[in-house]
């Protein structure tokens, strides 16, 4: 039973009494907790009496003295967010050296480095910083050659950053990176003219590539045909020489020559369309009878 009572008292002390006591101490300005990348500025009777810019637990009675209890009731505590922030300004109007109306999109990041200056030196420091960046962009990047404007974004970003940084410190800001993210034409007719020129140029280049390929194919084809014709002509010139040499070698042996010509004669006769009549070797009377027979269709062999 006693254990349950002790546990209940501990529960009440941990979840009710302790937060209540800490809340009371915080309400009377005994301590304050500063989160990471945040800052607290205490103002009493129109004066800044303390700035807590280090994260952690701070005892205000030791930092502010007798003014600590009064700040909560008679003064004010500003909690400033010092985390890194960023902004993107679209289409800042500038003109190139050639007179082309251009738009520049610029991105920059910043954080609050001086909380007191951020609170009391400018009523709208973020808006003033954006206006300063936009004005510096127009002032520094106008009348640049169009080619440099389209190709040298890094140097343009450095120029704007060097122009804006001193004033940003006066307003409590510190600039991080600045980058020219986009450079574009603002005149719609100019955009269409450039698109038309680019399309026509691409068509010319494509047509030139196709014509060059066709010419190369024609050259290769004509070269191959010429080489084939030369080889066929060489073969036609060499053929009679080869046949004559073969016949000369065959004519050296009379038996082979006679047999060859007999075969050729027989093949010629077989290939012809005339009728062939075979007569026995000893049939002396049969040739005369056949010669005396009238003309007419003769049996096919």
């Amino acid at each position: 039973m006693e254990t349950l009572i002790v546990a209940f008292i501990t529960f009440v002390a941990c979840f009710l009494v302790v937060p209540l006591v800490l809340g009371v101490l915080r309400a009377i300005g005994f301590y304050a907790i500063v989160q990471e990348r945040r800052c607290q500025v205490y103002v009493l009777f129109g004066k800044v009496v303390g700035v807590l810019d280090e994260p952690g637990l701070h005892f205000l009675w030791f930092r502010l003295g007798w003014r600590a209890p009064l700040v909560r009731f008679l003064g004010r505590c500003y909690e400033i967010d010092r985390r890194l922030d960023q902004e993107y300004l679209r289409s800042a109007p500038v003109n190139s050296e050639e007179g082309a109306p251009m738009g520049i999109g610029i991105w920059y990041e910043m954080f609050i480095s001086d909380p007191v200056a951020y609170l009391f030196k400018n009523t709208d420091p973020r808006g003033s910083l954006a206006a300063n960046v936009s004005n510096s962009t127009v002032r520094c990047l106008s009348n640049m050659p169009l080619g440099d404007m389209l190709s040298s974004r890094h140097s343009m970003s450095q120029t704007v950053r060097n122009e804006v940084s001193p004033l940003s410190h006066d307003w409590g800001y510190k600039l991080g990176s600045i980058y020219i993210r986009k450079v574009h034409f603002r005149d719609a007719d100019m955009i269409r003219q450039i698109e038309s020129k680019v399309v026509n140029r691409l068509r010319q280049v494509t047509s030139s590539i196709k014509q060059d390929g066709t010419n190369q194919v024609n050259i290769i084809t004509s070269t191959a045909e010429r080489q084939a014709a030369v080889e066929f002509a060489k073969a036609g010139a060499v053929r009679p020489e080869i046949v004559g040499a073969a016949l000369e070698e065959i004519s050296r042996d009379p038996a082979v020559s006679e047999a060859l010509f007999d075969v050729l004669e027989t093949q010629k006769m077989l290939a012809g369309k005339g009728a062939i009549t075979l007569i026995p070797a000893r049939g002396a009377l049969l040739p005369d009878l056949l010669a005396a027979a009238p003309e007419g269709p003769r049996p096919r062999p």
Side-chain angles (χ1 to χ4, degrees), residues 137-148:
T137 302
V138 174
R139 184 170 58 255
C140 297
L141 304 183
S142 292
N143 297 323
M144 286 183 63
L146 183 58
D148 295 341

Side-chain angles (χ1 to χ4, degrees), residues 44-45 48-50 60-61 63-72:
L44 180 64
F45 304 132
V48 178
V49 296
L60 297 179
W61 287 8
R63 296 290 298 271
L64 305 181
W66 60 272
R67 292 169 295 188
L70 300 179
V71 169
R72 287 291 182 181

Side-chain angles (χ1 to χ4, degrees), residues 135-180:
N135 294 334
S136 299
T137 302
V138 174
R139 184 170 58 255
C140 297
L141 304 183
S142 292
N143 297 323
M144 286 183 63
L146 183 58
D148 295 341
M149 192 175 293
L150 295 175
S151 60
S152 59
R153 298 186 182 183
H154 180 70
S155 60
M156 294 164 63
S157 303
Q158 293 295 324
T159 303
V160 176
R161 190 178 190 281
N162 295 332
E163 181 73 14
V164 176
S165 292
L167 288 178
S168 66
H169 291 309
D170 292 340
W171 298 334
Y173 271 115
K174 185 173 183 179
L175 283 177
S177 301
I178 291 181
Y179 184 65
I180 304 295

Side-chain angles (χ1 to χ4, degrees), residues 41-78:
V41 179
Y42 293 91
V43 179
L44 180 64
F45 304 132
K47 292 183 179 180
V48 178
V49 296
V51 178
L52 303 180
D53 54 358
E54 293 293 334
L57 178 63
H58 298 270
F59 294 99
L60 297 179
W61 287 8
F62 298 101
R63 296 290 298 271
L64 305 181
W66 60 272
R67 292 169 295 188
L70 300 179
V71 169
R72 287 291 182 181
F73 302 102
L74 302 178
R76 186 173 180 180
C77 176
Y78 296 92

Side-chain angles (χ1 to χ4, degrees), residues 244-266:
L247 292 176
E248 181 182 1
E249 185 176 358
I250 291 172
S251 64
R252 292 174 184 173
D253 189 344
V256 175
S257 177
E258 184 178 355
L260 173 63
F261 285 108
D262 289 343
V263 170
L264 293 176
E265 183 178 359
T266 303

Side-chain angles (χ1 to χ4, degrees), residues 27-228:
I28 63 176
F30 180 73
Y31 77 95
I33 297 175
V34 179
Q35 302 295 331
E36 188 73 26
R37 299 298 297 174
R38 292 181 184 274
C39 176
Q40 293 182 359
V41 179
Y42 293 91
V43 179
L44 180 64
F45 304 132
K47 292 183 179 180
V48 178
V49 296
V51 178
L52 303 180
D53 54 358
E54 293 293 334
L57 178 63
H58 298 270
F59 294 99
L60 297 179
W61 287 8
F62 298 101
R63 296 290 298 271
L64 305 181
W66 60 272
R67 292 169 295 188
L70 300 179
V71 169
R72 287 291 182 181
F73 302 102
L74 302 178
R76 186 173 180 180
C77 176
Y78 296 92
E79 186 169 357
I80 306 300
D81 189 353
R82 301 180 63 189
R83 290 177 295 181
L84 190 65
D85 200 358
Q86 60 182 356
E87 185 76 23
Y88 180 60
L89 301 179
R90 300 178 182 275
S91 191
V94 298
N95 291 324
S96 68
E97 188 180 38
E98 295 81 1
M102 306 295 293
I104 292 179
I106 183 168
W107 171 90
Y108 61 94
E109 60 183 7
M110 71 287 190
F111 63 91
I112 298 173
S113 60
D114 188 351
V116 177
Y118 172 78
L119 287 174
F120 302 109
K121 285 191 176 181
N122 196 315
T123 57
D124 186 12
R126 188 184 180 94
S128 298
L129 180 62
N132 188 24
V133 172
S134 179
N135 294 334
S136 299
T137 302
V138 174
R139 184 170 58 255
C140 297
L141 304 183
S142 292
N143 297 323
M144 286 183 63
L146 183 58
D148 295 341
M149 192 175 293
L150 295 175
S151 60
S152 59
R153 298 186 182 183
H154 180 70
S155 60
M156 294 164 63
S157 303
Q158 293 295 324
T159 303
V160 176
R161 190 178 190 281
N162 295 332
E163 181 73 14
V164 176
S165 292
L167 288 178
S168 66
H169 291 309
D170 292 340
W171 298 334
Y173 271 115
K174 185 173 183 179
L175 283 177
S177 301
I178 291 181
Y179 184 65
I180 304 295
R181 293 183 61 180
K182 183 178 181 181
V183 178
H184 64 94
F185 293 94
R186 290 187 291 115
D187 191 345
D189 292 336
M190 182 176 290
I191 294 174
R192 283 192 290 271
Q193 291 177 2
I194 292 175
E195 289 177 348
S196 177
K197 289 182 179 179
V198 171
V199 170
N200 292 335
R201 182 58 180 163
L202 289 176
R203 287 175 179 172
Q204 292 176 358
V205 171
T206 304
S207 177
S208 176
I209 292 173
K210 288 183 178 179
Q211 186 61 42
D212 185 65
T214 303
N215 294 337
Q216 292 293 332
V217 170
N218 291 335
I219 291 173
I220 294 172
T221 303
S222 61
T223 302
E225 291 177 349
R226 181 174 58 82
Q227 292 178 351

